[in-house]
Amino acid sequence: IAINSLQVVTDKAIKYSFKSTDRSRLDALSAKKGDCDEIIIVKHGLVIDTSFTNLAIYNSGSCWIIPKYPLLFGTKRAYLLSHCIIQEVYITLQNLKKCQSIRLFNSMIEFGGMEIPIKITTSKSHVQSDNLQSYQLWLHIYWAFSPK
């Protein structure tokens, strides 16, 4: 999967706490990605997930942080938390503005298998329904496979 850009989208009511074949709400949000490759979902001002992965962000001098209340509490996420590799926090758009890198992961994508250094551009032409500015995260992707 080649991901070069992420579009931040908002949804105040989305729920997807169990894997399901009904991805209609996620598909509707994904349709808002425009020219971007993937979305970052924001609920009530907090970053929660992408349409198919959990995510972690890294700030200089910090550790990898993940959303405290993601869309889906995945098994890989639980494993990383139990081994103190990641920390749960409330992630806001301000945190995204300051982050240097994003990791997308799930049970099929190893933590560190998709790490993306980021550069943020603000698109004022798109305003979300809750009056948040729309952010496009233009990413330069590289694949780094963790040693076993």
Side-chain angles (χ1 to χ4, degrees):
I1 300 170
I3 296 179
N4 297 307
S5 59
L6 294 168
Q7 174 67 46
V8 174
V9 297
T10 60
D11 188 320
K12 292 180 180 180
I14 190 164
K15 292 180 182 175
Y16 193 76
S17 53
F18 298 101
K19 275 206 168 191
S20 169
T21 55
D22 180 9
R23 292 181 48 90
S24 57
R25 191 80 177 234
L26 290 171
D27 292 341
L29 287 175
S30 290
K32 296 179 181 182
K33 68 184 175 187
D35 294 336
C36 294
D37 301 317
E38 181 52 54
I39 59 172
I40 291 179
I41 304 166
V42 174
K43 182 177 181 179
H44 302 297
L46 299 173
V47 171
I48 57 173
D49 268 333
T50 73
S51 71
F52 72 101
T53 67
N54 290 127
L55 62 86
I57 69 171
Y58 183 81
N59 294 330
S60 179
S62 181
C63 61
W64 287 99
I65 59 174
I66 58 169
K68 189 165 184 79
Y69 297 104
L71 196 56
L72 183 66
F73 289 86
T75 56
K76 179 73 67 182
R77 181 184 184 280
Y79 172 84
L80 295 168
L81 274 171
S82 70
H83 288 82
C84 301
I85 297 169
I86 55 179
Q87 292 181 350
E88 290 179 309
V89 298
Y90 295 105
I91 300 176
T92 66
L93 290 176
Q94 293 291 33
N95 296 120
L96 281 182
K97 285 183 186 181
K98 296 175 185 174
C99 87
Q100 296 177 332
S101 207
I102 295 178
R103 285 186 178 176
L104 306 181
F105 63 96
N106 59 27
S107 61
M108 302 299 288
I109 301 170
E110 289 294 326
F111 188 72
M114 187 182 291
E115 184 171 333
I116 309 159
I118 70 164
K119 174 185 154 191
I120 300 175
T121 60
T122 304
S123 170
K124 293 185 180 180
S125 62
H126 299 94
V127 178
Q128 302 294 333
S129 60
D130 60 0
N131 294 323
L132 288 175
Q133 278 188 324
S134 176
Y135 294 94
Q136 288 185 346
L137 303 177
W138 294 100
L139 311 171
H140 305 286
I141 190 165
Y142 67 94
W143 293 88
F145 297 96
S146 301
K148 300 288 179 197

